[in-house]
Amino acid sequence: MNRPLLFLDVDGPLNPYAAQPERRPDGCTTLRVPRNDAHQDGTVRSSRRRPLRVWLNPGHGRMLLQLGFELCWATTWMDDANRWIAPVIDLPDLPFVDFGDALLQERPDGVHWKTRLLVDYACGRPFAWVDDEQSELDQTYVTAHHPGPALLHHVNPRIGLRESDFRTLADFAQCLDTSPSTG
């Protein structure tokens, strides 16, 4: 049987970007990511924009790998998460949801722009999604359009993933292991 999916957002759960800007959260290291200054036509503008500050806890990778999920990036970073985030938290390259044209496109029904694509990607498999932007509308959408178990777990972007979040995810995975099989 396939392991359940764990869709990982970066900014909020792994990078507590909303923490006090002058105070790095406990256990985190600071990463400076250059901002992409390339235009779609291939030209590069000269810019002196400061690099993006990202706070990451190097222990999170190990903790995520121990949960029993198949990990998948569900972030605007898409494949760049493998380049910048994974090495810092000691994760292997992970598959990612390619949001394509839906990236950051607001929906008129208020459902988060990631939600439909995550449900499509899961294709009926059980999944958990950690993010700082889900709402009741997303839960309603998932319940209506996804036939398998799903956990939408909100993470406070001021503090990022904490021990209690890992317990919640582990409990969800454990419930799936002990559920009677269907069919």
Side-chain angles (χ1 to χ4, degrees), residues 95-108:
F96 65 95
V97 178
D98 186 345
F99 294 115
D101 292 339
L103 185 69
L104 302 173
Q105 296 300 310
E106 287 190 36
R107 292 173 46 125

Side-chain angles (χ1 to χ4, degrees), residues 159-176:
I159 59 174
L161 284 169
R162 291 291 177 236
E163 188 175 315
S164 61
D165 300 305
F166 286 101
R167 274 196 309 275
T168 298
L169 293 167
D171 290 348
F172 177 74
Q174 175 136 11
C175 285
L176 296 173

Side-chain angles (χ1 to χ4, degrees), residues 32-64:
R32 302 279 180 196
V33 179
R35 295 187 191 257
N36 183 357
D37 289 330
H39 292 283
Q40 286 187 356
D41 64 4
T43 62
V44 177
R45 66 186 146 123
S46 106
S47 172
R48 297 186 185 249
R49 292 173 53 189
R50 293 187 349 212
L52 179 65
R53 185 244 327 128
V54 179
W55 285 323
L56 299 170
N57 184 325
H60 280 169
R62 176 184 45 77
M63 295 167 77
L64 289 164

Side-chain angles (χ1 to χ4, degrees), residues 118-149:
L118 297 182
V119 167
D120 291 350
Y121 189 99
C123 197
R125 282 176 67 185
F127 72 84
W129 171 24
V130 292
D131 206 312
D132 63 312
E133 296 182 345
Q134 305 118 326
S135 73
E136 288 298 319
L137 293 171
D138 300 299
Q139 184 63 62
T140 301
Y141 182 94
V142 170
T143 300
H145 295 92
H146 181 68

